[in-house]
Amino acid sequence: METLSLEQYGVVYNMFSFTIASMLGAFAFFILARERVAPKYRISLIVSAIVVGIAGYHYFRIMGSWEHATEYVNGAYSFNVDLFNDAYRYVDWLLTVPLLLAELILVMGLSRQKSEGLLTKLIIAATAMIVLGYPGEGAAEASSIILWGVLSSIPFAYILYILWGEVGQVIDEQGGRVGLLLKNARWLLLATWGFYPITYALPLLGADVGLIGMQIGYAIADVLAKAGFGVLIYIIARNKSDNDGYSLEIA
Amino acid sequence: METLSLEQYGVVYNMFSFTIASMLGAFAFFILARERVAPKYRISLIVSAIVVGIAGYHYFRIMGSWEHATEYVNGAYSFNVDLFNDAYRYVDWLLTVPLLLAELILVMGLSRQKSEGLLTKLIIAATAMIVLGYPGEGAAEASSIILWGVLSSIPFAYILYILWGEVGQVIDEQGGRVGLLLKNARWLLLATWGFYPITYALPLLGADVGLIGMQIGYAIADVLAKAGFGVLIYIIARNKSDNDGYSLEIA
């Protein structure tokens, strides 16, 4: 039974609430902003909406679990780790990580054949990456952490190989401002996803990431990787719609 | 009174949550993706949305019942089977199974007469199948399990007879990629529905399926049979819209 100060309890609680507000706001935005991009690109905004919707649902659950696991006693909070369900995050990633990759591919407006080929590879690899990471999360022995970490890194490496290889070629063909934005989106994915394996591996280095730091870090990474990434996808879709001659001006 | 470890409790809890997230995500998708298929096929996406909406509601109920039936005591969970309401599943099937068959028929875009004829037969048979299975579920005597199992199998056999006979002819006429996808949808129905009678019959063979295995199995089957099936129906509707000349490109 750990004891949390009022400030420690509050900062995690408020980060969860910040994340819920961001996800719900983003959900409304992606649905409403669909009409501002050409029909062809709306599917990427629909997928963005579903990603932040699912993430918002999970943060409601995580916040409920946080309240359930903590109890106010004489000016501080006792925390029962048994009652705090962190596995929601894995359930969330299982659904949202393949969908984030789908957003990136769908906004490119490729031929159906090219699109389906890339989506199939990336979705299978993303699912394998999440499933293989789960047994190592919170494992007691270093050997388990390393084993599952390495296994999970194989599909991750494959995803990077596809994103910088086959997808990279497509991005180069798109060129101009759209090409630049697509490269930014790819970097945002790598930077925000990079947070997760680092947090996963820190216990190996003897570092006590700490409950508080981990919850804050995951929340920030989730807002950037889902709501932030979705906004970037929207900007790409707007630019491509402009290029295709889809005008918002009155004729 | 059974005792569940934290892991056993958690894996069921997280599977329920995964199912809710999948159903809610699919609900948003089917509603938003309607505009991407020709008006004629939108009814099949509307029905898909209703199916996953109803399933999501029932999983909220099942999850609540799971929380109600379990109690955290000193690092483990006690489970009171009397308080766990599994009958939600039958209520769910009573509504969703006829609607799943309706999705398959409606996406074909048949003449109203042909469509109504098939729907009437399939919906009546599906309702009879679910109603007749209920008294045998969890029955104590083998004779009851067998009696209701056999009675319930009669409309199931009739559904297969229609799907591979009359519906099979229509699928053959559609041909090409759409025909292939329709055959896949039919197989997905059979494969996921096949899970239910197997779970039903296992107690007869003396097999203890076990609470945990059954809940996980049902959840996976439900996600595939409802959200997964709906996505397949959407892909069929998109293909048929393309074939009919309904374009998402700017003219």
Side-chain angles (χ1 to χ4, degrees), chain B residues 167-217:
Chain B
V167 173
Q169 277 169 27
V170 177
I171 291 177
D172 289 339
E173 283 160 24
Q174 307 232 341
R177 194 172 146 78
V178 166
L180 190 70
L181 288 166
L182 284 169
K183 280 182 188 165
N184 289 346
R186 198 174 54 176
W187 279 113
L188 181 60
L189 271 194
L190 185 63
T192 49
W193 291 17
F195 184 84
Y196 305 111
I198 291 170
T199 312
Y200 175 90
L202 275 176
L204 281 182
L205 307 172
D208 181 13
V209 190
L211 176 73
I212 310 291
M214 201 188 277
Q215 297 307 323
I216 295 173

Side-chain angles (χ1 to χ4, degrees), chain A residues 34 38-40 42-43 46 50 54 57-58 61 80 82-83 85 87-88 91 94-95 112 116 244 246, chain B residues 6 13-14 17-18 20-22 29 32 35-36 60 63 72 75 77 177 238-239 242 248-250:
Chain A
R34 258 180 317 154
K40 191 175 171 179
R42 288 182 191 166
I43 183 71
I46 291 174
I50 290 166
I54 290 173
Y57 161 77
H58 281 120
R61 288 281 185 199
N80 184 343
D82 283 358
L83 297 179
N85 185 356
Y88 287 127
V91 178
L94 198 59
L95 291 164
R112 174 170 301 168
E116 281 176 2
D244 293 0
Y246 180 82
Chain B
L6 289 179
Y13 194 89
N14 291 320
S17 186
F18 166 78
I20 291 172
S22 303
F29 178 73
L32 296 170
E35 63 192 13
R36 301 183 61 78
F60 264 109
M63 200 165 173
Y72 175 78
Y77 279 87
R177 194 172 146 78
R238 274 292 292 122
N239 272 276
D242 265 354
L248 296 174
E249 300 287 340
I250 300 158

